[in-house]
Amino acid sequence: GKTREFMTQMERPKECVLCNHHEGFHAMHPLYDSHGPEGRHYVLPQTGDLAHRKEKRLAWVHTLCASFLGDYFQTRGCVCGCD
């Protein structure tokens, strides 16, 4: 099995992994790696170089982005979240 790693979200998330709008505060939801009770909050890997480094962080999506993808017939089921 996978080893569980615990992370703490210290500030309100602004980065949506589905779009490039990262300004201001918007309703956000965690992005899970699979559907159902076995799903875990997806973790984004560390990226960038020394000048533009982003540390490993939890994945979040705008509520509106996730709702749109979940309702559209061609992308339905590609975003896992909770009810």
Side-chain angles (χ1 to χ4, degrees):
K2 294 180 183 178
T3 302
R4 288 197 180 255
E5 182 178 337
F6 293 93
M7 296 182 75
T8 302
Q9 182 79 36
M10 297 301 290
E11 55 191 39
R12 187 170 174 166
K14 289 185 179 181
E15 179 184 11
C16 176
V17 299
L18 301 177
C19 77
N20 63 358
H21 183 75
H22 307 304
E23 299 296 321
F25 293 107
H26 303 277
M28 304 289 279
H29 277 78
L31 182 66
Y32 289 91
D33 61 358
S34 67
H35 175 70
E38 298 299 316
R40 296 181 189 178
H41 198 158
Y42 190 76
V43 177
L44 299 173
Q46 177 179 314
T47 59
D49 57 19
L50 292 176
H52 298 81
R53 170 170 262 124
K54 287 188 176 182
E55 298 301 325
K56 187 165 42 169
R57 60 214 181 273
L58 297 171
W60 293 86
V61 297
H62 291 120
T63 303
L64 187 60
C65 292
S67 295
F68 179 79
L69 288 177
D71 287 343
Y72 189 61
F73 75 97
Q74 290 182 322
T75 53
R76 191 174 295 144
C78 73
V79 177
C80 299
C82 60
D83 291 334

